[in-house]
Amino acid sequence: MLNRLAAVVVAAAVFAGFAPAAAHADDPTRILIVGDSITQGYRGDHTWRYFAHQAITGAGTAVDLVGPRTSTFDPAQGGNTVNWHYDGPDAYADPAFDQQHAAYWGQRLGASWMREPIGDLAAAAQPNIIVSNLGINDLSDGTAVALIDGYRQWVADARAVNPDVDLVIGEIPHAWVYAGRPAEFNALIDDLAAELTTVGSRVEVFRVEGFTRADTWDGIHVNESGERKYARAVTAALGRLGVASAAVPDPVVPVVQEPVPGVPAEPQVTAPAATAPPVARAARPGRVSARKVGDQVVVRWRASASAESYRVRCGRREVKTSGTTARLRSGAPSCKVRAVNDAGASPWVTVRVRRARP
């Protein structure tokens, strides 16, 4: 009777999708990388994920990068957030690496800004280690203390899926932005890691040493020099969790040959460094309308080509969406909509709420 009962329980677990996969000592370490634009990268970048993966596999370490997407960012691909994520043949400077990740241009740690909750990501990807490079967008208009508190909940949500998952949390090396709030966050992160570390689930901090504005192409987003520095920082933290890696090499500097006496020297032509254009601040949405339908207000608008998401507010009710329609339970006489992207938010567009025709 007991054996039959056990068989029923196992069968039910498999049907529900919760049957645990058997783990083997020689299985690759599954790493979920969560981040924002610095981690996702711009069309044609290497990304720091590339250099980290090359260093880890270069040491002979078996690793599987996991996550729901493989794309870089390219706003030229269309006017919505789906098409901005580019998987074309030139998405990467070198596509020969494990491209899976959970980074998203403009993503924040705050729950209302996460494209996928960390619990959902962890349940789907089943990582052994989660690497987080989030926070710089949160600090654009939030405090370091709030970001630390957000990480407490974020780690708790990840551990609710797997209490033994290890985590790597990144400092924010951009000391020149947001009135010193990155430095305030960095001063608190070590204590947070010590507080959250358990016997079964360690928390490590990665620090990007020697990072300056010259490691970016616009003051925020990293160029190849910055990508390599991020990769060194992440692989060093992973090394403390037992993931061995080779050193991340410096960029190759071309050798300048000395001219041979009597032979005219050929002119040296250096191609300009390829840099992606900065992302413009989101443009305001057009053709905004709001209609009362029962106890809800249905707000619609035309998509803004530069928007990553939209904020809709009716009275005290507010929602965030990546689409062009929102429904709010509100009795407010007017509503407003604004577009948001990594560079900032557009002005609000306000409209009066009209009653639906009977």
Side-chain angles (χ1 to χ4, degrees):
M1 180 65 179
L2 289 176
N3 288 339
R4 291 176 62 189
L5 179 60
V8 171
V9 171
V10 170
V14 172
F15 180 80
F18 296 120
H24 301 283
D26 56 351
D27 284 347
T29 300
R30 296 173 64 83
I31 300 177
L32 173 66
I33 300 176
V34 185
D36 50 36
S37 52
I38 295 170
T39 297
Q40 184 186 14
Y42 204 97
R43 176 179 177 176
D45 286 351
H46 282 94
T47 78
W48 68 256
R49 294 180 283 109
Y50 166 85
F51 291 112
H53 184 263
Q54 294 295 87
I56 293 169
T57 56
T61 303
V63 66
D64 182 11
L65 301 188
V66 294
R69 63 184 60 88
T70 59
S71 58
T72 57
F73 174 81
D74 184 6
Q77 289 305 304
N80 62 70
T81 55
V82 174
N83 289 336
W84 284 358
H85 296 277
Y86 183 67
D87 283 301
D90 56 345
Y92 293 93
D94 182 354
F97 76 109
D98 190 342
Q99 300 170 7
Q100 286 182 270
H101 64 86
Y104 210 108
W105 199 277
Q107 185 160 233
R108 300 187 182 202
L109 183 75
S112 64
W113 287 84
M114 286 292 292
R115 302 294 178 171
E116 302 96 356
I118 187 59
D120 292 352
L121 287 171
Q126 294 293 305
N128 306 111
I129 301 173
I130 300 173
V131 177
S132 174
N133 180 35
L134 289 167
I136 192 167
N137 293 318
D138 300 75
L139 293 181
S140 66
D141 55 7
T143 68
V145 172
L147 182 57
I148 290 291
D149 289 341
Y151 260 121
R152 284 194 183 91
Q153 184 60 53
W154 194 82
V155 171
D157 291 345
R159 285 175 172 166
V161 177
N162 178 8
D164 296 326
V165 70
D166 290 326
L167 300 107
V168 175
I169 298 174
E171 286 191 340
I172 301 171
H174 301 67
W176 53 88
V177 301
Y178 307 144
R181 289 190 287 273
E184 296 174 17
F185 171 74
N186 296 344
L188 299 172
I189 191 68
D190 282 328
D191 288 342
L192 179 71
E195 170 195 329
L196 297 180
T197 292
T198 68
V199 173
S201 174
R202 297 162 291 177
V203 179
E204 287 287 340
V205 176
F206 77 76
R207 296 178 179 83
V208 187
E209 302 291 348
F211 190 82
T212 70
R213 193 188 294 267
D215 296 309
T216 74
W217 51 263
D218 64 350
I220 296 288
H221 301 99
V222 291
N223 54 26
E224 184 177 328
S225 171
E227 290 169 352
R228 291 175 185 266
K229 289 182 179 180
Y230 263 85
R232 289 191 189 102
V234 172
T235 54
L238 290 172
R240 296 192 290 274
L241 295 175
V243 179
S245 64
V248 177
D250 290 322
V252 176
V253 178
V255 176
V256 179
Q257 295 184 345
E258 294 295 329
V260 177
V263 178
E266 294 184 4
Q268 299 295 314
V269 179
T270 303
T275 59
V279 179
R281 183 177 176 178
R284 71 174 68 197
R287 293 191 178 180
V288 181
S289 66
R291 288 189 176 273
K292 187 75 172 179
V293 181
D295 61 349
Q296 290 187 329
V297 178
V298 180
V299 186
R300 291 187 172 91
W301 59 92
R302 176 183 285 179
S304 168
S306 57
E308 293 179 9
S309 62
Y310 301 90
R311 288 281 178 177
V312 185
R313 183 180 298 170
C314 297
R316 295 184 178 181
R317 300 279 185 175
E318 182 172 337
V319 297
K320 172 178 176 279
T321 179
S322 58
T324 56
T325 302
R327 294 176 179 268
L328 298 88
R329 198 178 300 273
S330 173
S334 64
C335 296
K336 54 187 179 180
V337 184
R338 68 177 177 181
V340 181
N341 66 11
D342 198 44
S346 75
W348 288 102
V349 179
T350 303
V351 294
R352 292 189 61 81
V353 177
R354 296 184 178 182
R355 292 277 176 182
R357 295 178 179 176

